[in-house]
Amino acid sequence: MAVLVALDAGTGGGKCTVFDVHGRVLGSHREPWSYTILPDAAIPFVKGFAFEPESFWAAMCRCVRAALAAARIDPGEVAGVATTSQREGCVFLDDGGREIYAGPNLDARGFAEGFEVLSTLGAERLYQITGHSAPFIFAVARYLWFRKHDPRRVAHVLMISDWLTYRLGGTLVAEPSNATESMLFDMCERRWSAEVLDGLAIPADILAPVVQSGTPVGALTEAAAAQCGLRAGTPVVVGGADTQCSLLGAGAIEPGDTAATLGTTTPVVTVVAAPQFDPAANLWAGCHVVPERWVLESNAGDTGDAYQWLLDLVAADQPRAERYALAEQWAATAPAIEAMAFVGPTVFNLTKMQPTKPGGLLFPFPAMHLRPDRQALVRAFLESIGYAIRGNLEQIRAVTGTAPRALFLSGGMTRSRALVRLICDITGLPVRVATEPESAGLGCAILSAVGLGLYPDLRSAAAAMIHHRDETPEPTRAAHFAEGYGKWRALYDALETLHI
């Protein structure tokens, strides 16, 4: 039996998942990780984040061994391995191929250098080239910071998924979906931007050759095989950025397909047939892992992490392993619109970023000492995810001019039936929920399956490997939540004008 291994280096931890050729999970293992935080005394709200690459690589290798053991798979049955990762995170190598910098998507050490990028290229031109507007956490700004503060020469700049490919097979390559997240890439032409590189005096030879996602690029080295437990010579296939791999793993392939990935954050993305830009330069544009497809992206902000924070706060008396199941019961039984939450989910707008914007949990004035209980607060938070997704869908529709026919959902939070039901009714859209929540890993496996010749193309692989359950909005509830969204959005917009 041929199986496919997907490595996923996320924001909160690393994961390895073993899939069969029908998209079924045979084994999986996740290991959390943490970062070194580097405060910036000059800009108090800016922090640098770094990780120790050998520790991260060792964690990924342990995940592979544990996933293989859980799947009871002999390494010789693995047809190929591919990688996906958090976006914006990157690794710099020296001339000897050794890591000299490694930072996650949270690393804002290049905040000041981001203004240099803007002043050199101009915000409008930068957006037209890269599909992104504010360069403060991207590889372009971090490279300029490193060049100023570290005497070591950077020989190679790799996004994290490409760095994992390098650690597996020793090959230096890049692919369009994560290259876009460096802001060194021309997303329309799908190649490194000579205009950005020349304007900032960045040598082109530090960037790897660009290949299409799903391309086999070599074989697992003896050293990597000894560390991760796979067989030396196992084909290594190029994966992609986690959001775009999640789109593929959820089934969002064709123009107009729109999806929300309910994870640590919740990207809300539509697939387009040609590059499409937001005239306000707010929404992100980028490359899909699917050839000849691009994406237009909004984002509902901090969802998974904020939900965990809330449960730790209101269910501290419950065992951690039982909090999600208990919250599911609360959300299903609590009255609707008894409270409103503003503690994570957002309507994406980088032009209005302000660290002093207030958040909180709002509810009717507690006259006669009547206050909502924790069930109502959990329900309010889940409603806020649905409201934020609706707000982000409205932003995308304003640019594309078309409404989605349905909304694809994937990610770990789709395990909450109550949340899925709320999203369906709040958005008023039919939802297609990927039955495999780990859609980024599944997207990687689909790319591998096609690259290795197990399926003739991505569409046939997706048809065989992706499975959905469908839900449709209930008209009475949809009308009820349309009113609730109006109230939530009015309060959300009012908070934009306040400072604490």
Side-chain angles (χ1 to χ4, degrees):
M1 175 178 65
V3 301
L4 303 160
V5 169
L7 275 63
D8 183 356
T11 301
K15 178 179 290 184
C16 176
T17 308
V18 181
F19 295 91
D20 70 12
V21 295
H22 304 291
R24 293 184 294 244
V25 173
L26 304 178
S28 184
H29 185 79
R30 181 183 185 276
E31 184 171 322
W33 48 40
S34 59
Y35 304 106
T36 301
I37 301 176
L38 310 167
D40 188 330
I43 314 174
F45 64 86
V46 171
K47 291 182 174 62
F49 287 79
F51 64 87
E52 207 291 305
E54 287 302 329
S55 296
F56 270 40
W57 170 245
M60 294 303 306
C61 290
R62 289 192 295 270
C63 289
V64 175
R65 288 183 175 275
L68 291 174
R72 299 181 179 180
I73 291 296
D74 182 276
E77 297 178 76
V78 176
V81 56
T83 70
T84 184
S85 75
Q86 55 176 271
R87 300 178 297 172
E88 293 90 56
C90 57
V91 177
F92 301 163
L93 308 180
D94 66 12
D95 289 308
R98 295 176 294 270
E99 295 86 356
I100 53 176
Y101 159 83
N105 51 11
L106 304 169
D107 188 13
R109 72 183 67 200
F111 187 82
E113 286 71 23
F115 289 103
E116 293 181 25
V117 177
L118 290 172
S119 64
T120 301
L121 295 162
E124 182 177 353
R125 182 56 185 154
L126 189 65
Y127 180 65
Q128 291 296 319
I129 297 171
T130 69
H132 292 58
S133 51
F136 308 112
I137 63 167
F138 292 84
V140 61
R142 297 187 210 175
Y143 174 81
L144 296 181
W145 180 95
F146 193 92
R147 188 165 68 182
K148 286 181 183 178
H149 295 92
D150 197 302
R152 293 173 292 179
R153 177 184 179 272
V154 174
H156 305 287
V157 172
L158 298 173
M159 307 309 287
I160 290 179
S161 56
D162 301 325
W163 169 67
L164 289 174
T165 298
Y166 166 72
R167 292 300 299 252
L168 289 167
T171 304
L172 294 164
V173 293
E175 55 74 39
S177 68
N178 228 346
T180 303
E181 304 304 317
S182 69
M183 291 190 77
L184 297 164
F185 194 72
D186 186 323
M187 53 86 63
C188 295
E189 299 294 332
R190 294 191 179 228
R191 64 188 181 197
W192 299 113
S193 170
E195 184 174 346
V196 172
L197 297 176
D198 292 345
L200 299 169
I202 298 174
D205 63 2
I206 68 172
L207 300 169
V210 179
V211 300
Q212 176 59 44
S213 299
T215 302
V217 290
L220 199 70
T221 65
E222 294 280 355
Q227 290 172 295
C228 70
L230 292 170
R231 180 171 292 181
T234 300
V236 177
V237 180
V238 174
D242 56 2
T243 293
Q244 284 89 327
C245 283
S246 289
L247 289 177
L248 174 58
I253 297 174
E254 302 300 342
D257 288 349
T258 302
T261 304
L262 298 162
T264 303
T265 63
T266 295
V268 181
V269 186
T270 194
V271 180
V272 291
Q276 191 160 8
F277 297 93
D278 177 5
N282 177 36
L283 303 184
W284 285 358
C287 299
H288 203 339
V289 291
V290 179
E292 302 304 319
R293 295 287 180 266
W294 283 260
V295 297
L296 188 66
E297 176 181 349
S298 198
N299 197 301
D302 190 358
T303 48
D305 273 358
Y307 189 43
Q308 181 175 316
W309 166 83
L310 180 64
L311 295 186
D312 288 346
L313 191 67
V314 303
D317 59 334
Q318 303 295 322
R320 181 176 289 271
E322 298 176 14
R323 290 176 190 173
Y324 286 99
L326 182 61
E328 184 74 357
Q329 296 175 24
W330 292 347
T333 57
I337 316 181
E338 186 171 310
M340 288 195 170
F342 303 90
V343 291
T346 59
V347 180
F348 188 67
N349 194 331
L350 292 177
T351 67
K352 292 185 178 181
M353 287 181 64
Q354 52 162 309
T356 58
K357 174 186 173 181
L361 296 159
L362 301 181
F363 43 88
F365 187 79
M368 304 298 290
H369 306 289
L370 297 175
R371 297 175 176 86
D373 56 21
R374 56 187 178 178
Q375 289 96 319
L377 298 182
V378 168
R379 170 62 177 257
F381 180 84
L382 294 181
E383 288 177 1
S384 77
I385 295 177
Y387 292 143
I389 290 173
R390 177 167 173 164
N392 285 284
L393 287 170
E394 288 177 351
Q395 292 196 146
I396 292 174
R397 181 178 182 177
V399 174
T400 64
T402 58
R405 300 177 296 275
L407 181 63
F408 292 85
L409 295 178
S410 65
M413 292 190 78
T414 59
R415 294 184 177 94
S416 169
R417 291 277 183 148
L419 175 58
V420 169
R421 184 70 253 166
L422 285 167
I423 292 171
C424 184
D425 289 330
I426 288 171
T427 62
L429 292 171
V431 296
R432 307 210 69 199
V433 186
T435 57
E436 175 45 58
E438 301 301 335
S439 54
L442 180 56
C444 252
I446 292 169
L447 290 168
S448 290
V450 176
L452 297 170
L454 301 176
Y455 289 97
D457 53 52
L458 286 175
R459 286 157 189 79
S460 58
M465 298 176 71
I466 302 170
H467 311 282
H468 296 98
R469 60 180 176 85
D470 297 332
E471 295 195 26
T472 56
E474 198 283 312
T476 301
R477 285 169 54 89
H480 174 74
F481 283 116
E483 178 184 355
Y485 173 70
K487 295 178 180 178
W488 182 89
R489 186 60 192 264
L491 288 167
Y492 180 90
D493 291 341
L495 290 172
E496 294 275 13
T497 66
L498 301 178
H499 301 264
I500 57 171

